[in-house]
Amino acid sequence: MTGSVADQQEEGIYPSPGAVVLLTRSLAILVGYSFIHLSVDLLVGRRLARKWKLLQTDRVSVSEKVCSTLNALYTAYIGYKTLLSRVYDGPGGALATYTADMDYFFPNYLAYSLYDIGTMLFQPEMHFTMFIHHGMGAYGAFGMMFFRRMSIFPSYFMITEITAVVQNWLWVEETFGASSKYKRQGDGHEALLRDEGPATKTSPQAPSASGGEKGSSPSPKSPPTLRVVQLHGLRAVAFLLLRSWCAPFSVVHASLREGGFFHMLSKVSRLPGWGPLVGWSGLLCVVMFSVLNILWTVATFKTFFRRYKWWASSSLGKKQQ
């Protein structure tokens, strides 16, 4: 599909180590994420679950947040490294550049997407957009390992993952901080909290590390602290500055590098073998990610303003203003 090894080297496409190596690498990383998840659950999750009487979704999230942060830091590092090195200004251009780092990144992202989908199966209230997000991510990572073209688009998606670090910090603060939804556990109110169920439209859960409504535990029963409000604001700004623009700008960057938007589309249509079909489906993923990222960014600002109004109208907020 991508031509001979010599053609790949000339075009800027790093030669593939082979399907067996790539898939074995991905499987090994998946086992690694699973091992980390179970280890964190055994060492930390069980203790927190007993102490805070955590619902299942939050106990799963304790381990998931560790894996999420590791993936976010690695993914963002590869993304920034790739884009700042200006590899797409080289002979391969936007459509025929594939670096050696990507033979480790895409197996990792495929493994992480499958791992995260697995954790979501234990969180039944998970927002459907998260399944779409990770499903597209797994498809894209698997396809890129063999397609080995048009890597400029996932390179921009990589840098958006850094927002997961802020989101995970916010989750820890909301779950175990001063305004924790669990702070009344153990004094006879367990049934009240558990019967309340997942958040409603009037008190929605915050978007996940990837932007969607990832979380199914009850809404906070007391006003948020100033720190929680500040973290909501930080997350909203992070989504705006580090996520919302990346997918559309990747199309702009690729178009400029390939002599214009329509000329780029023409090149995609002339790719060898199954190239056009894979290429066009990849562009469809770019469009879908663009829409999701914009919707998630809007959602983070809405949540921030709701939390701020709640805090400002509370006695705690009036004292701190």
Side-chain angles (χ1 to χ4, degrees), residues 52-316:
W52 293 83
K53 302 189 187 307
L54 298 179
L55 299 179
Q56 174 179 283
T57 183
D58 284 327
R59 177 173 171 176
V60 171
S61 291
V62 170
S63 297
E64 187 273 334
K65 296 304 179 186
V66 174
C67 294
S68 169
T69 300
L70 293 174
N71 173 72
L73 293 173
Y74 174 67
T75 298
Y77 165 72
I78 296 297
Y80 282 111
K81 177 184 177 183
T82 301
L83 292 172
L84 293 177
S85 64
R86 304 183 66 178
V87 295
Y88 298 107
D89 293 334
L95 301 183
T97 297
Y98 192 97
T99 68
D101 287 335
M102 294 177 184
D103 276 334
Y104 290 90
F105 165 71
F106 287 116
N108 170 78
Y109 199 74
L110 173 61
Y112 176 73
S113 297
L114 295 176
Y115 156 78
D116 218 18
I117 289 174
T119 65
M120 289 191 293
L121 297 178
F122 295 93
Q123 298 170 302
E125 297 87 353
M126 188 64 61
H127 198 272
F128 76 93
T129 57
M130 292 309 302
F131 287 95
I132 296 176
H133 170 74
H134 286 298
M136 289 192 302
Y139 164 75
F142 179 82
M144 284 300 301
M145 288 192 296
F146 305 102
F147 186 50
R148 309 179 76 79
R149 294 176 184 270
M150 299 173 63
S151 67
I152 188 172
F153 302 113
S155 291
Y156 274 95
F157 295 146
M158 293 178 199
I159 66 177
T160 68
E161 286 296 316
I162 196 63
T163 58
V165 178
V166 179
Q167 171 58 34
N168 294 343
W169 183 10
L170 173 60
W171 180 86
V172 171
E173 184 64 31
E174 287 193 319
T175 305
F176 303 110
S179 61
S180 170
K181 50 187 168 282
Y182 290 109
K183 73 176 184 177
R184 295 173 64 190
Q185 297 275 359
D187 62 358
H189 296 280
E190 294 91 338
L192 174 63
L193 287 173
R194 290 180 182 276
D195 290 342
E196 187 179 45
T200 64
K201 290 184 179 180
T202 57
S203 57
Q205 291 294 316
S208 76
S210 296
E213 293 183 356
K214 188 169 186 178
S216 57
S217 50
S219 299
K221 295 186 67 64
S222 59
T225 62
L226 177 59
R227 178 179 296 179
V228 168
V229 174
Q230 291 171 335
L231 286 174
H232 273 286
L234 178 63
R235 183 187 61 178
V237 173
F239 268 62
L240 178 65
L241 298 181
L242 301 174
R243 178 176 285 271
S244 62
W245 58 273
C246 290
F249 190 78
S250 69
V251 177
V252 174
H253 187 175
S255 299
L256 292 174
R257 188 63 185 83
E258 297 298 332
F261 179 70
F262 292 105
H263 191 229
M264 178 190 69
L265 296 183
S266 177
K267 284 189 173 183
V268 172
S269 300
R270 296 197 307 269
L271 291 173
W274 291 88
L277 177 61
V278 179
W280 281 100
S281 67
L283 290 175
L284 178 61
C285 286
V286 173
V287 173
M288 295 181 68
F289 273 125
S290 298
V291 173
L292 288 175
N293 284 335
I294 291 173
L295 291 176
W296 289 335
T297 301
V298 172
T300 60
F301 275 95
K302 287 183 176 180
T303 304
F304 163 65
F305 288 125
R306 278 195 295 267
R307 294 291 191 269
Y308 175 77
K309 290 179 181 179
W310 191 6
W311 169 80
S313 62
S314 67
S315 58
L316 176 63

